[in-house]
Amino acid sequence: MKLIVLGATGGTGLELVRQGVEHGHSVTAFVRSPERLKVFGDRIVIRQGQLLSSEQLAGAIEGHDAVLSGFGPRVPVAKEDAHLLQDFAVALTSGMRHAGVRRAVVESVAFLFRDAIVPPAYLLGRLLFPRVVADASAMERVFAESDLDWTMVRPPELTDKGYTGKYRVREGHLPRFGFRISRADVADFMLRAAENRVASRKVVGVCN
Ligand SMILES: NC(=O)c1ccc[n+]([C@@H]2O[C@H](COP(=O)([O-])OP(=O)(O)OC[C@H]3O[C@@H](n4cnc5c(N)ncnc54)[C@H](OP(=O)(O)O)[C@@H]3O)[C@@H](O)[C@H]2O)c1
């Protein structure tokens, strides 16, 4: 497949790029700062640009089969990034429409699962990271209101542990005792969701 990764210099994004290449896909990374991707040499296509510009996104995305996003605010979240995910979603959905690309697999946050009890994801999110909850909700709403073929992947705490392939997935819910998952495993699920076109217009909980 021809895949384009957004947030490709981030923790999950780097895994998406690495595993995408391993799976034999043609991978494009559209980033603001390409230095971190030098290790991939000529095995990927790197495009530099502004990820909040729908025009630039449309230009980068055109010709790809799917968009994979590990984009998100760098932590700790700066004040000016309070609406970053929402702004990104507005630019991306518009860019995808213009580019004629319909499929996107997007990393969101497990804090949005209102029905999770162990852990009480929504409550924790509202207490500890209210701005992240508001911004990620707004991002998801933008996609839900679009006619695109999206999948929202909502992990709990992310770790930098390696790939295990042993993770749990539940449509519409966070699996019970879903406390954390490695970025490598999230990337594995996201790639497979793109390859197999599963969970179209669905929210999915993933955890180890
Ligand atoms: N941390 C957690 O425990 C946790 C838990 C659940 C969900 N999540 C969500 O999962 C996603 C991925 O998290 P992560 O920790 O793997 O990512 P990360 O390492 O924080 O990387 C974020 C990526 O987004 C890019 N980015 C941020 N602001 C940008 C901007 N204004 N313009 C262009 N690019 C920008 C960064 O680019 P640069 O390299 O150029 O900065 C980087 O590639 C995020 O949406 C996060 O909210 C996180």
Side-chain angles (χ1 to χ4, degrees), residues 6-14 30-34 36 49-52 69-75 77 81 84-85 88 107-111 132 136 139 153-160 181 183 186:
L6 306 176
T9 49
T12 310
L14 282 167
F30 181 53
V31 292
R32 59 178 170 183
S33 37
R36 287 188 75 189
Q50 169 56 255
L51 274 83
L52 299 177
S69 174
F71 177 97
R74 284 288 181 182
V75 178
V77 181
D81 281 350
L84 187 70
L85 289 170
F88 170 67
E107 190 170 15
S108 179
V109 291
F111 288 143
V132 173
M139 171 181 80
V153 180
R154 293 179 179 175
E157 185 185 343
L158 295 172
T159 75
D160 287 325
I181 183 169
R183 290 176 169 88
V186 175

Side-chain angles (χ1 to χ4, degrees), residues 38-172:
K38 273 190 186 142
V39 288
F40 293 103
D42 59 6
R43 287 178 298 151
I44 64 170
V45 175
I46 302 174
R47 287 190 63 158
Q48 186 171 15
Q50 169 56 255
L51 274 83
L52 299 177
S53 155
S54 61
E55 289 81 14
Q56 290 192 33
L57 277 167
I61 286 168
E62 201 174 0
H64 290 84
D65 299 309
V67 176
L68 295 167
S69 174
F71 177 97
R74 284 288 181 182
V75 178
V77 181
K79 256 201 177 138
E80 59 270 27
D81 281 350
H83 304 289
L84 187 70
L85 289 170
Q86 179 176 14
D87 295 344
F88 170 67
V90 170
L92 178 55
T93 50
S94 160
M96 287 177 70
R97 268 194 302 275
H98 281 103
V101 174
R102 298 204 64 250
R103 180 73 175 135
V105 183
V106 178
E107 190 170 15
S108 179
V109 291
F111 288 143
L112 303 188
F113 284 118
R114 289 171 184 250
D115 66 340
I117 295 168
V118 191
Y122 186 68
L123 189 70
L124 287 175
R126 286 294 298 268
L127 280 174
L128 303 175
F129 304 100
R131 282 195 296 188
V132 173
V133 173
D135 194 25
S137 302
M139 171 181 80
E140 290 202 356
R141 208 157 36 238
V142 172
F143 275 93
E145 287 168 1
S146 78
D147 60 356
L148 297 170
D149 176 5
W150 49 265
T151 300
M152 286 296 150
V153 180
R154 293 179 179 175
E157 185 185 343
L158 295 172
T159 75
D160 287 325
K161 289 191 177 155
Y163 162 84
T164 68
K166 293 192 183 97
Y167 54 85
R168 294 175 291 148
V169 177
R170 212 178 149 201
E171 225 170 73

